[in-house]
Amino acid sequence: MLEKNFSGFILETGTDEAGRGCLAGPVTAAAIILPQDFENQILNDSKQLSEKTRALLKPIIEQQAVCFAVTHLFPDEIDEINILNASMKGMQECILKLKHVPEYIIVDGNRSLNAKLGIKSTFGKQFSPDEIELLKSIPNQSIIKGDAKYLSIAAASVLAKTYRDEYMDQIHEEFPMYNWKQNKGYPTKEHREAIKKYGTTKYHRMSFRLLPDQLELNFFGD
């Protein structure tokens, strides 16, 4: 049974991301505030759940949440600021999108949410000074394997995963040879063989090691 609250604050927000290790597609972050009486016996770290179970949980989480937000950060921004910063920035953007200002934030992992605040990038959202100050003002705690310990982080992990999977299903239709509908952009043998055969697309992360031997790659533009 996952725990409901870490801090004791009513408006505690859980946040997490999905797709950090993928070769293609966005890294997707989610943040959520759950009501104090929220209970669910099935909810767990999204990686421990089947696709069918995640799909079942998604509308339940959305309907019962006090508020939630989801953000995609795309490959051009990932390549510019690196995947760790992009993951952090995505979670920060989600916090700013919430209808209620959190009193406390719990983050899956071992990095403070305040790290790299206001990082500049050519692509994506630019934080204003007021937004940076707001994010700095909210206390937060990183929790290793928090998505398997706290309901709000687990709920955020499910939303991040399901929204990202839906996006990968959509772009699969544009480039079906990579089978993103199945592998979701992760570095499977099939995905890497397709990169080797067909080259890269605008959805691939060019700062990642797309092939083990880094053979010369072709590129599919817009």
Side-chain angles (χ1 to χ4, degrees):
M1 184 75 177
L2 304 189
E3 296 185 48
K4 293 184 178 182
N5 190 281
F6 172 83
S7 66
F9 288 99
I10 294 174
L11 295 180
E12 179 179 272
T13 298
T15 185
D16 199 6
E17 51 74 25
R20 198 166 77 172
C22 295
L23 303 181
V27 61
T28 302
I32 189 167
I33 300 176
L34 294 173
Q36 288 184 290
D37 60 354
F38 180 86
E39 292 185 359
N40 190 289
Q41 301 296 322
I42 302 172
L43 181 58
N44 201 345
D45 167 16
S46 64
K47 297 184 292 295
Q48 305 301 319
L49 302 172
S50 67
E51 184 175 0
K52 182 178 180 180
T53 301
R54 290 193 297 266
L56 177 68
L57 285 169
K58 178 174 178 281
I60 296 172
I61 292 168
E62 292 179 337
Q63 290 163 15
Q64 296 189 29
V66 173
C67 58
F68 71 91
V70 179
T71 296
H72 296 303
L73 264 73
F74 295 99
D76 48 10
E77 189 165 11
I78 293 170
D79 288 338
E80 182 175 14
I81 65 176
N82 81 47
I83 186 60
L84 292 177
N85 288 334
S87 299
M88 192 67 63
K89 186 170 183 277
M91 290 188 281
Q92 292 166 347
E93 289 188 30
C94 286
I95 296 299
L96 294 172
K97 287 181 180 179
L98 292 173
K99 292 181 180 179
H100 299 278
V101 177
E103 297 175 289
Y104 199 95
I105 303 166
I106 52 176
V107 188
D108 182 56
N110 59 3
R111 295 173 182 268
S112 166
L113 188 67
N114 286 343
K116 297 288 187 179
L117 274 173
I119 186 169
K120 300 296 183 182
S121 60
T122 306
F123 307 97
K125 177 179 174 56
Q126 306 298 313
F127 291 132
S128 71
D130 286 345
E131 289 172 330
I132 292 173
E133 287 306 309
L134 175 61
L135 288 167
K136 284 182 177 179
S137 73
I138 306 170
N140 71 91
Q141 176 65 50
S142 59
I143 302 172
I144 296 173
K145 297 185 179 179
D147 48 8
K149 296 176 181 176
Y150 289 92
L151 283 169
S152 62
I153 301 180
S157 77
V158 169
L159 292 183
K161 175 64 174 168
T162 52
Y163 273 84
R164 187 182 186 281
D165 284 357
E166 288 170 2
Y167 179 86
M168 296 306 295
D169 289 349
Q170 291 172 13
I171 64 173
H172 166 86
E173 302 302 322
E174 188 176 353
F175 293 103
M177 66 281 280
Y178 300 95
N179 199 18
W180 290 329
K181 191 174 183 67
Q182 181 68 35
N183 62 52
K184 309 304 182 189
Y186 281 91
T188 62
K189 181 179 180 181
E190 173 193 42
H191 188 186
R192 282 191 153 131
E193 285 296 321
I195 294 171
K196 185 176 179 180
K197 181 176 181 180
Y198 299 106
T200 59
T201 71
K202 59 187 176 182
Y203 298 113
H204 281 99
R205 303 174 185 177
M206 301 308 293
S207 58
F208 279 47
R209 190 175 183 180
L210 300 179
L211 294 175
D213 50 7
Q214 282 294 276
L215 298 175
E216 185 175 350
L217 298 172
N218 297 315
F219 174 74
F220 286 136
D222 291 334

